[in-house]
Amino acid sequence: MKELSATKNIDVRFSEVDSMNIVWHGSYMLYFEDAREEFGRKFGLDYLTIYHNGYYAPLVDISFKYKRPIIYGMKPSITIHYRPTDAAKIVFDYEINNPEDGSLLATGRSVQVFMDLQYNLVLLNPEFYEEWKKKWL
């Protein structure tokens, strides 16, 4: 099975760091969101595509693990990896790396489910998502 991934460079902004000059933990979620948007652009699984097919894809689980600090002035990259599943959900793994030395700075995972436009949980993969998986996987 083909692995789908996308990489985005991050410019750490002053507003994203705490008083120790280290990226504040809440900023990691924004970096993950940026990676999901990059993946969506690259592979046609962006939020508007999901919405225009009659669904929402809310996050139901997200986690990350610090490995090394990300500090103001760094220019790390985040790579998002799609993890196939038969369930009606979208699962991504993340890696944030320092391109200067290749060191791993953080990892993470997110899970999104499908809801129809009336906010009902969808238990089977939507048809458009099955077609997307056939195209890319």
Side-chain angles (χ1 to χ4, degrees):
M1 188 175 289
K2 188 167 126 180
E3 181 174 312
L4 304 179
S5 64
T7 300
K8 180 168 181 61
N9 295 325
I10 301 168
D11 286 319
V12 176
R13 300 180 315 160
F14 181 74
S15 63
E16 298 167 345
V17 300
D18 60 20
S19 61
M20 297 177 287
N21 217 27
I22 296 173
V23 167
W24 173 66
H25 64 274
S27 295
Y28 286 78
M29 300 309 140
L30 298 174
Y31 298 156
F32 289 2
E33 182 71 29
D34 290 344
R36 284 193 302 280
E37 287 182 343
E38 182 67 23
F39 183 92
R41 277 189 293 276
K42 183 175 179 181
F43 294 105
L45 192 62
D46 58 278
Y47 290 117
L48 286 178
T49 297
I50 294 168
Y51 176 75
H52 288 137
N53 279 280
Y55 298 92
Y56 297 118
L59 285 162
V60 294
D61 188 24
I62 190 162
S63 63
F64 66 96
K65 294 182 181 178
Y66 296 105
K67 302 297 183 181
R68 298 183 64 192
I70 301 174
I71 56 175
Y72 182 63
M74 283 180 126
K75 297 197 178 291
S77 63
I78 182 166
T79 301
I80 181 171
H81 303 276
Y82 174 80
R83 293 294 169 233
T85 177
D86 292 332
K89 61 174 106 176
I90 304 170
V91 180
F92 290 113
D93 291 328
Y94 306 85
E95 293 178 355
I96 301 177
N97 290 283
N98 183 349
E100 290 183 14
D101 64 8
S103 61
L104 182 62
L105 303 172
T107 61
R109 175 170 279 212
S110 68
V111 178
Q112 295 168 263
V113 296
F114 292 100
M115 291 174 36
D116 64 24
L117 298 182
Q118 290 73 45
Y119 304 101
N120 298 303
L121 181 63
V122 175
L123 299 177
L124 300 174
N125 281 315
E127 184 178 331
F128 87 92
Y129 186 52
E130 285 292 338
E131 290 172 12
W132 180 87
K133 291 199 293 187
K134 285 178 188 173
K135 176 181 179 179
W136 290 103
L137 301 175

